[in-house]
Amino acid sequence: MDAIIQRLAQELERPVHQVENVVHLIDEGNTIPFIARYRKELHGSMDDQLLRQLAERLQYLRNLEARKEEVRSAIEGQGKLNCRLKSALAAAETLAEVEDLYRPYKPKRRTRATIAREKGLAPLAELLSARGGAPVVPEEAAQAYVDPEKGVETIQDALQGASDILAEQISDDAVVRKKLRQQYLKRAMLVSKAADAEPKDSVYRLYYGFKCPVGKVQGYQTLAINRGEREGFLKVSVELDPESAHVTVRRAAVPGRACMDFVRAAADDAYDRLIQPSMEREIRSYLTDQADEGAIHMFALNLKPLLMQPPVKGKVTMGLDPGYRMGCKVAVVDGTGRVLDTAVVYPTHGKRQKEEAIETLSKLVRKYGVEHIAIGNGTASRETEQMTVELIHRLGGNLRYMIVNEAGASVYSASQLAAEEFPQFDVNLRSAVSIARRLQDPLAELVKIDPKAIGVGQYQHDMPQKRLDETLGGVVEDCVNHVGVDLNTASFSLLSHIAGINQTIAKNIVAYRTENGVFTDRKQLKKVAKLGPKAYEQCAGFLRVPGAKNPLDNTAVQPESYSAAEQILRECGFQLADIAGQDRSEITSIAKQHGIAAIAKKAGVGEPTVKDIIKELAKPGRDPRDELPPPLLRSGDIMELKDLKPGMELVGTVRNVIDFGCFVDIGVHEDGLVHISQICDRFIKHPLEAVKVGEVVKVWVLDVDLKRKRIALTMKPPKKG
């Protein structure tokens, strides 16, 4: 265990004692959000991302040690464990190295070498491959092993069997495989070609003649090639100069052998027949694993800003779920997300129906005081937007609209969760409610949907699903806990992502709330079925109780720190009642005057905790998302693709970030692509260094391809003059 902690500290460049503290906290059953927020003194204020990285790496290293022990026991059980092998296993740093060492001792299926051993040819192979001693003539040595009864009819049969045994031994040599693996990673080429002699035009045409060094292949290229191969468009191979590979194997296998020519031939056979196909599979697997990890990481980085988009609070909102045949579904929700009314209109069915739709929507806007309209970006979105602009022009006032990414809305509306939440509405109307709520509070609504269905990643269906779910689940958990939730209004979905609360406890909280009325303080949580002391410790600080007798119950201050918070207030000249329902920004400056270190000493907590408590006391019940720029709401005329001209300046919202650029919604039906080279003037390795999902950006049109419906944009201001 000490070795694992030392290694983690070295890899993460963190002090050993901090890493050790985090490991102990994880082993005690603490959640990552709780550790990140409430145990900063123990880990030096690592963020949740670094803590998750540590936890994942810890699990890998523990699995590595467990596998080493399994292999050690298996080899020892065969009576073949020696000091050299023990040392090699102890020094192995990856699971691949451990498997290489185990390979010669691993139970195998029936092979050519196995058959040769059954024929009694192992001694011949040993004799011909012996190091030192007098030279041996293979044919003369093989004569003694010719035995028709055992299936060895001729001298050539005996030599072939001995060669098969020797080839398998060379193939199983961990040193040989390690050297070749390094050679493949440095010098091999990933090659893809069209599967057919006369290939059809497809999205994979860029890979019909693709050749790239293994070490330089981009993740998105690997994933595209893999999918093209699965769909039958591509043939893929990993190519390494065979002569250089043969030399590597010979250097390890041939020198000093009794029959060098015989061993050389066996070494070449080992590479061609056994090692090369295995290495090709291993390199392909390595590239895929790397690409998967990169894509999952990208998905996680895109998901976080999407979930953390600023809410549009307290506004009556109309949600429009566009459609052709089934019409446009309408839902009006109040400032808390409660459904006020629903309707279905048919703006795409003709001029008369469009006028009827505008009249129906106008009545709903006037009746309920609608201020914002959220339009789904799916089928018929453009026509629905045109109708909405006409509606705004007729009504005037402060009415604004926004195109909302409706990815996953249909998945949610058909789910059991939606059926329980809205049993009185059909599937289509539930989608309209979801779209309206996505504008009001993106986080609260998007947590109801499988993160994979939200639509901000690449090749998500090709990823290892368990790993993807774990990573995205961690992002959702971090976001929900960072924001905190209202204990009296939070849905089951939101509650189930709070640290320490599983789905069973979340249902019990909702049931308790339904039966007993609203929570009046955090302590009531202890009365919820199955919510024990550990769960209470983990979750309490992330649950808010507006209007509670103790105003700290509506902050992110954890109950164990209430006495410290009261001491900090006294030091700054305030009482608990002074922070009830109002901002006290002056607390921050007063605390700095007194000195954070001095206050921490009197309060009996660490400085990071004092800083966090002060932040909460200054703005009780604050929502960190309110500090972000608001979303882009529109009211004016809309444009068509044909209206765009090179050089035109526009403002848009980043919808997705990928390896080679980002897609920006500029108010036309198609999102425009900003290539990585057009994002900023400085060099960046990845677009995420400069942009993020949900960010409002200024762009200029570079080119418009009307036929292919593609828009090229730049974020670099045009040069004047």
Side-chain angles (χ1 to χ4, degrees):
M1 189 60 192
D2 288 341
I4 289 178
I5 289 173
Q6 291 282 351
R7 185 167 175 182
L8 284 170
Q10 185 177 12
E11 290 178 355
L12 300 175
E13 298 181 342
R14 305 293 296 199
V16 172
H17 73 276
Q18 291 181 1
V19 173
E20 188 173 18
N21 289 339
V22 173
V23 171
H24 288 326
L25 287 167
I26 291 171
D27 289 344
E28 288 170 2
N30 294 288
T31 61
I32 295 298
F34 177 82
I35 296 170
R37 172 78 190 188
Y38 299 114
R39 293 295 182 263
K40 290 182 177 179
E41 286 84 358
L42 293 177
H43 57 73
S45 299
M46 293 187 204
D47 62 20
D48 46 27
Q49 213 168 353
L50 186 58
L51 287 169
R52 288 192 186 280
Q53 185 182 339
L54 189 156
E56 289 170 6
R57 188 64 178 149
L58 173 66
Q59 189 60 50
Y60 177 87
L61 293 176
R62 283 178 167 172
N63 290 342
L64 177 63
E65 290 303 313
R67 183 56 179 159
K68 284 182 182 181
E69 188 54 42
E70 289 173 5
V71 169
R72 192 180 293 113
S73 298
I75 298 174
E76 191 171 25
Q78 298 175 25
K80 298 177 181 178
L81 187 64
N82 53 43
C83 293
R84 181 191 62 79
L85 202 47
K86 274 185 181 179
S87 299
L89 276 171
E93 295 188 351
T94 64
L95 286 168
E97 289 181 44
V98 174
E99 296 306 322
D100 280 351
L101 292 167
Y102 184 39
R103 194 180 185 90
Y105 310 96
K106 196 173 185 178
K108 292 183 175 66
R109 61 180 176 78
R110 192 172 167 80
T111 64
R112 281 166 51 171
T114 307
I115 295 168
R117 288 190 183 93
E118 291 170 356
K119 293 177 180 179
L121 297 173
L124 176 60
E126 189 175 340
L127 175 64
L128 296 176
S129 62
R131 293 186 183 275
V136 177
V137 178
E139 289 76 12
E140 292 178 2
Q143 182 64 53
Y145 292 89
V146 175
D147 186 347
E149 290 184 4
K150 291 184 177 181
V152 185
E153 300 286 345
T154 65
I155 289 174
Q156 194 56 44
D157 289 343
L159 291 174
Q160 183 60 57
S163 177
D164 290 341
I165 292 171
L166 186 53
E168 187 172 272
Q169 290 174 349
I170 295 170
S171 171
D172 288 344
D173 189 298
V175 175
V176 171
R177 297 187 73 85
K178 186 174 182 178
K179 287 181 178 178
L180 276 174
R181 187 180 294 115
Q182 293 170 347
Q183 195 169 342
Y184 265 82
L185 291 174
K186 286 181 180 179
R187 300 178 190 170
M189 306 290 287
L190 180 68
V191 179
S192 69
K193 300 175 182 176
D196 300 324
E198 297 181 5
K200 301 175 183 176
D201 187 31
S202 73
V203 294
Y204 305 109
R205 57 185 172 276
L206 291 174
Y207 300 102
Y208 285 166
F210 180 83
K211 190 172 186 178
C212 181
V214 164
K216 294 184 178 180
V217 177
Q218 299 297 310
Y220 68 88
Q221 294 172 328
T222 299
L223 295 173
I225 287 170
N226 287 353
R227 184 180 285 185
E229 184 180 39
R230 279 197 306 275
E231 295 178 3
F233 288 94
L234 302 174
K235 284 185 177 179
V236 188
S237 60
V238 178
E239 297 180 1
L240 178 68
D241 174 39
E243 186 53 36
S244 65
H246 284 152
V247 168
T248 299
V249 180
R250 290 169 194 161
R251 282 176 179 168
V254 176
R257 303 288 187 173
C259 298
M260 293 178 64
D261 290 342
F262 178 81
V263 176
R264 183 183 292 109
D268 289 350
D269 177 53
Y271 175 75
D272 294 336
R273 182 168 57 86
L274 301 173
I275 301 177
Q276 191 276 331
S278 172
M279 276 293 152
E280 182 165 8
R281 289 192 299 272
E282 191 174 318
I283 295 301
R284 291 289 305 279
S285 178
Y286 165 80
L287 288 174
T288 300
D289 289 345
Q290 293 287 98
D292 286 346
E293 280 302 307
I296 290 171
H297 180 63
M298 167 77 68
F299 207 137
L301 290 176
N302 278 338
L303 180 61
K304 188 167 186 175
L306 182 67
L307 294 174
M308 293 297 289
Q309 286 181 104
V312 182
K313 295 178 180 177
K315 305 292 185 182
V316 179
T317 303
M318 178 183 288
L320 302 180
D321 181 15
Y324 287 117
R325 188 174 61 86
M326 301 294 290
C328 175
K329 282 66 67 180
V330 185
V332 179
V333 301
D334 68 11
T336 65
R338 182 172 62 90
V339 180
L340 299 174
D341 211 336
T342 61
V344 180
V345 295
Y346 301 88
T348 63
H349 285 208
K351 189 173 181 180
R352 179 176 61 82
Q353 288 88 341
K354 182 178 179 181
E355 283 298 318
E356 290 175 355
I358 292 175
E359 182 60 31
T360 299
L361 297 184
S362 297
K363 289 178 181 178
L364 290 173
V365 170
R366 294 191 189 100
K367 181 177 180 180
Y368 297 106
V370 174
E371 293 184 59
H372 294 151
I373 298 175
I375 306 171
N377 67 341
T379 305
S381 174
R382 184 55 48 203
E383 293 86 346
T384 304
E385 185 182 8
Q386 289 171 338
M387 174 194 68
T388 302
V389 169
E390 287 187 41
L391 171 69
I392 291 173
H393 284 168
R394 293 186 191 184
L395 293 178
N398 295 320
L399 196 57
R400 298 285 185 273
Y401 77 92
M402 180 176 172
I403 303 295
V404 175
N405 188 345
E406 66 176 40
S410 58
V411 175
Y412 160 72
S413 60
S415 69
Q416 181 64 32
L417 179 64
E420 292 173 0
E421 192 173 5
F422 301 114
Q424 72 274 35
F425 299 138
D426 69 18
V427 170
N428 295 321
L429 288 173
R430 293 172 194 161
S431 291
V433 175
S434 178
I435 288 168
R437 288 177 168 182
R438 285 189 187 199
L439 178 59
Q440 289 184 320
D441 191 341
L443 179 61
E445 196 61 26
L446 292 174
V447 294
K448 300 174 184 177
I449 301 163
D450 183 346
K452 296 193 294 293
I454 292 178
V456 289
Q458 289 176 281
Y459 302 98
Q460 54 262 45
H461 300 297
D462 298 344
M463 301 294 102
Q465 294 303 295
K466 183 181 178 184
R467 172 80 179 117
L468 181 60
D469 289 342
E470 288 173 353
T471 301
L472 300 185
V475 173
V476 175
E477 184 182 41
D478 291 340
C479 290
V480 172
N481 286 281
H482 181 64
V483 172
V485 304
D486 185 332
L487 183 55
N488 288 318
T489 61
S491 66
F492 155 77
S493 302
L494 262 179
L495 288 168
S496 63
H497 290 291
I498 290 293
I501 296 180
N502 56 30
Q503 292 195 351
T504 300
I505 295 175
K507 287 179 180 177
N508 291 344
I509 290 174
V510 174
Y512 182 93
R513 199 168 64 194
T514 303
E515 186 176 340
N516 300 284
V518 298
F519 286 85
T520 55
D521 59 42
R522 281 173 171 166
K523 290 179 182 177
Q524 280 181 275
L525 282 165
K526 296 178 179 179
K527 298 178 182 179
V528 174
K530 297 188 177 180
L531 199 157
K534 187 67 176 180
Y536 178 76
E537 176 193 49
Q538 300 293 305
C539 74
F542 302 110
L543 298 170
R544 313 282 187 267
V545 187
K549 184 177 180 181
N550 187 339
L552 294 176
D553 282 351
N554 192 36
T555 69
V557 178
Q558 221 252 358
E560 68 181 15
S561 298
Y562 278 10
S563 60
E566 292 180 40
Q567 179 65 39
I568 292 168
L569 280 170
R570 285 194 293 271
E571 290 296 317
C572 295
F574 295 95
Q575 299 296 322
L576 267 179
D578 296 331
I579 65 166
Q582 55 187 315
D583 287 358
R584 287 291 183 183
S585 302
E586 62 268 29
I587 289 177
T588 304
S589 57
I590 294 172
K592 285 181 180 178
Q593 290 172 7
H594 283 71
I596 300 298
I599 293 176
K601 189 174 182 180
K602 289 184 179 180
V605 293
E607 290 185 37
T609 298
V610 169
K611 290 176 182 177
D612 283 346
I613 291 175
I614 290 171
K615 202 171 182 181
E616 291 299 317
L617 297 177
K619 291 187 176 182
R622 71 187 182 91
D623 187 332
R625 296 173 297 174
D626 292 341
E627 299 169 7
L628 301 171
L632 181 64
L633 292 161
R634 302 180 187 276
S635 62
D637 295 330
I638 61 172
M639 294 185 299
E640 299 289 343
L641 202 63
K642 59 183 175 59
D643 298 327
L644 298 178
K645 302 292 184 234
M648 187 179 286
E649 179 182 320
L650 301 161
V651 175
T653 303
V654 177
R655 290 298 182 200
N656 199 3
V657 181
I658 50 178
D659 288 335
F660 52 85
C662 64
F663 287 99
V664 179
D665 173 11
I666 53 172
V668 298
H669 195 56
E670 305 296 329
D671 289 345
L673 172 65
V674 183
H675 189 267
I676 186 171
S677 63
Q678 295 296 327
I679 291 178
C680 56
D681 289 320
R682 63 186 173 87
F683 172 77
I684 55 174
K685 289 184 178 180
H686 199 280
L688 283 169
E689 295 176 33
V691 292
K692 62 183 179 181
V693 170
E695 184 177 354
V696 176
V697 296
K698 187 180 290 186
V699 295
W700 289 265
V701 178
L702 283 179
D703 185 53
V704 181
D705 186 336
L706 293 174
K707 185 177 180 182
R708 299 167 75 181
K709 295 184 177 180
R710 291 184 177 179
I711 309 163
L713 303 172
T714 180
M715 289 169 60
K716 297 179 181 180
K719 294 179 181 179
K720 297 179 180 179

